[in-house]
Amino acid sequence: MSRARAALGLTVFLLGMAAGFIASRPATPQLPDSPWASLPTVEEPATTRARVAMLPRDDARGLARALDIQLLERLAGAIDPLVDVEEVTFTGATERQGDILSAYIAEGKALSGERLVVGIVFRVRDGRIVGVN
Amino acid sequence: MGALQTLRPWGFVFVMGALFGFVVGAVGGGLLEERSPFSHESAAARQYMISLLEQEPQSLIALTPRSDVVSRAMQFASAEGTAGTITPLSLTYLGGKSSGLLSVHAYAIEVRSADGQRQFFPLALTLVGGKVVRRE
């Protein structure tokens, strides 16, 4: 009898837990349909993979050798306000008429110590980085 | 009355389970989302991009933090000045990531300008609590 009661109690608790879990999930808003086509994704360009790896390594000399001053200025603007880049993650790339846009998310700390994430997008043409946003 | 007395302890157990499940769901879900290497495209980010390309200042204003009346007037004036000057051709989501309330989403946009030139450029949106706080 007491075993049956314990099993029933556990079942009721689990049912309540399931109901609570479902109630905790906020209703996810539906993505609005895009009226335009989406381009196919492409692989991460090797040139950007090598360059972004220098950011969490704090390799300022390597970046100075790899990118010209205009691109470095654009990259500085892209990672602003991060002063300490801890991780850079490739999120996706797409291509149109020879131009590849390769996107990354950089995670780190601002001067205030606040943890932040910023987006960096490289433009690659003929295997060379020609722009940074 | 007797039935109510009998059911009361089970109701209490159910409510305790529900509270536990709610806490586990809220905390665990948040942690999973934070530790996930990628985040899903946000509906607010997609809507912002659509409004931007369709030059709908009202929607853009609704998806940005509250600003002063002059800034909003400038957004309307800017939209009127550029209305019909570009034709969007494609909108591609390049991925994003969340860290707490902050999330970043990157897009590739292809448009044709009024003189027929095609332009292909990226745009990264930073959202805080569903509002776009940075666009570059």
Side-chain angles (χ1 to χ4, degrees), chain A residues 5 9 12-13 16-17 20-21 24-25 32-34 36-39 80 90-92 96 99 107 117 119 121 123, chain B residues 10 13-14 17-18 20-22 25 38 43 46-47 50 53 88 90-92 94 97 102 104 110 118 120-122 134:
Chain A
R5 273 180 71 88
V12 171
F13 184 82
M17 198 173 143
F21 187 84
S24 74
R25 312 310 304 150
D33 286 334
S34 170
W36 310 288
S38 178
L39 299 175
D80 182 60
F90 170 70
T91 59
R96 192 74 181 151
D99 274 13
E107 205 168 352
V117 286
V121 185
R123 183 184 294 270
Chain B
W10 300 117
V13 171
F14 184 85
F20 185 69
F22 189 87
F38 306 104
R46 166 83 70 93
Q47 186 57 60
I50 292 172
L53 292 173
S90 69
L91 174 65
T92 307
L94 293 178
K97 192 169 185 178
L102 194 77
V104 176
E110 186 187 11
R118 275 176 183 244
F120 181 53
F121 57 93
R134 179 165 148 160

Side-chain angles (χ1 to χ4, degrees), chain B residues 21-36:
Chain B
F22 189 87
V23 172
V24 167
V27 175
L31 282 176
L32 274 178
E33 181 83 7
E34 201 168 313
R35 296 195 181 255
S36 161

Side-chain angles (χ1 to χ4, degrees), chain A residues 5 8-9 11-17 19, chain B residues 3-20:
Chain A
R5 273 180 71 88
L8 183 62
T11 307
V12 171
F13 184 82
L14 289 176
L15 283 173
M17 198 173 143
Chain B
L4 199 66
Q5 288 281 359
T6 314
L7 285 177
R8 186 175 287 168
W10 300 117
F12 180 73
V13 171
F14 184 85
V15 169
M16 293 310 288
L19 286 173
F20 185 69

Side-chain angles (χ1 to χ4, degrees), chain A residues 6-77:
Chain A
L8 183 62
L10 186 66
T11 307
V12 171
F13 184 82
L14 289 176
L15 283 173
M17 198 173 143
F21 187 84
I22 291 165
S24 74
R25 312 310 304 150
T28 311
Q30 287 287 315
L31 274 183
D33 286 334
S34 170
W36 310 288
S38 178
L39 299 175
T41 54
V42 297
E43 280 190 11
E44 179 185 16
T47 182
T48 55
R49 188 189 305 131
R51 291 343 179 242
V52 296
M54 294 173 184
L55 293 170
R57 285 205 311 258
D58 214 27
D59 185 0
R61 282 184 193 280
L63 277 172
R65 279 194 297 269
L67 300 173
D68 65 36
I69 191 71
Q70 282 84 14
L71 289 176
L72 286 172
E73 280 173 5
R74 305 274 306 187
L75 185 57

